[in-house]
Amino acid sequence: MDTAEAINTRRAIKKFDSTYKMTKQQVDSLMELAIRSPTSYNQQNWRFITVTDQSVKEQISKAARDQAQPSDGSLVIILCGNMNAWQQDPFRYWKNSTLEKQEHVKKAMHTKYAESPQNQRDEAIRSCGFAGQTIMLSARHMGLDSCPMVGFEYDDLAKIINLPDDHLIVMMIVVGKASEPAGPRGGQLPLDQVVFENKF
Ligand SMILES: Cc1cc2nc3c(=O)[nH]c(=O)nc-3n(C[C@H](O)[C@H](O)[C@H](O)COP(=O)(O)O)c2cc1C
């Protein structure tokens, strides 16, 4: 499947085939693609909780206001941002580069994040946004379907996954096989309402 086809056929699936189970190899392949997503300074500040355990998926469905997707889908991925990634052994993000480059990036990240919880949070959300789309398109490439979700009780989900204090849940994505296609698209806005040439 080429990229355009993956984009055009990705839909937010409401009904998943609960009998379909991804193999561990499929989950690993999907996550190997997910970690190719770009992050600022290559800080790789996403953290992914992959859930295949049925009892945990059911708890997640409950936290998601009884939406069925987490329970029926094969895999639930909770995308979290680590807001302290910028200062946690930062040389590892540029391990293939020179010491000079590593020191430069460490200093630049300190300047950007040390005094700014907002920048830390924004970066977590940006990075998980990219990873989310990578996951959904990669799932299509693998012949699978997905549903991005934020309709959940944050504190309940945080408790289920033991979310550390300095991490943020950005979204979850359910992956599996659709048992019903998505309904008709809501309707995209025309380009001239969302694209502006050179400036607003
Ligand atoms: C951040 C985000 C949160 C969403 N949360 C939910 C959700 O909790 N439950 C659900 O069924 N769909 C959810 N959706 C799916 C959207 O309703 C869907 O993407 C949108 O209607 C466009 O449809 P499409 O993805 O099929 O093109 C969410 C989508 C996004 C991007």
Side-chain angles (χ1 to χ4, degrees):
M1 183 180 294
D2 70 21
T3 308
E5 190 182 353
I7 292 169
N8 280 319
T9 60
R10 182 216 57 79
R11 297 297 313 282
I13 293 301
K14 310 290 172 187
K15 305 248 185 226
F16 284 92
D17 174 355
S18 60
T19 65
Y20 178 81
K21 303 288 173 213
M22 290 167 70
T23 62
K24 165 132 181 33
Q25 198 182 9
Q26 279 176 302
V27 175
D28 289 348
S29 301
L30 184 63
M31 300 320 294
E32 284 290 346
L33 292 168
I35 63 166
R36 263 52 184 180
S37 306
T39 55
S40 183
Y41 298 111
N42 199 38
Q43 68 188 269
Q44 300 163 71
N45 50 340
W46 8 248
R47 298 293 177 267
F48 305 100
I49 308 296
T50 57
V51 183
T52 52
D53 183 303
Q54 189 57 30
S55 66
V56 182
K57 290 197 291 129
E58 279 166 20
Q59 289 175 43
I60 295 172
S61 265
K62 199 158 169 247
R65 302 163 194 154
D66 290 323
Q67 296 189 83
Q69 293 98 318
S71 162
D72 289 346
S74 177
L75 170 69
V76 181
I77 306 170
I78 323 281
L79 289 83
C80 305
N82 176 357
M83 289 178 285
N84 273 321
W86 62 275
Q87 60 176 336
Q88 292 168 344
D89 191 9
F91 281 16
R92 67 193 160 133
Y93 308 138
W94 289 91
K95 63 184 177 196
N96 299 335
S97 289
T98 59
L99 184 59
E100 193 186 1
K101 171 81 181 174
Q102 292 171 346
E103 277 167 349
H104 169 78
V105 172
K106 181 180 172 183
K107 194 166 163 228
M109 289 198 295
H110 189 274
T111 303
K112 182 162 186 187
Y113 304 110
E115 303 295 333
S116 178
Q118 164 128 19
N119 281 346
Q120 295 169 18
R121 190 182 165 94
D122 288 352
E123 214 58 78
I125 295 169
R126 268 193 286 270
S127 296
C128 288
F130 281 114
Q133 187 72 340
T134 302
I135 287 169
M136 293 188 290
L137 296 182
S138 300
R140 285 306 300 137
H141 159 77
M142 295 167 69
L144 298 169
D145 302 296
S146 63
C147 187
M149 300 179 72
V150 292
F152 52 78
E153 300 303 327
Y154 187 95
D155 292 345
D156 293 351
L157 186 57
K159 204 166 171 196
I160 293 167
I161 65 168
N162 290 336
L163 185 75
D165 287 342
D166 59 351
H167 287 50
L168 175 74
I169 301 176
V170 177
M171 71 182 105
M172 68 178 169
I173 298 180
V174 176
V175 181
K177 280 267 188 206
S179 61
E180 276 182 28
R185 284 186 188 278
Q188 306 315 115
L189 296 174
L191 281 188
D192 65 6
Q193 285 183 23
V194 293
V195 181
F196 305 92
E197 223 176 314
N198 298 321
K199 55 187 163 182
F200 274 100

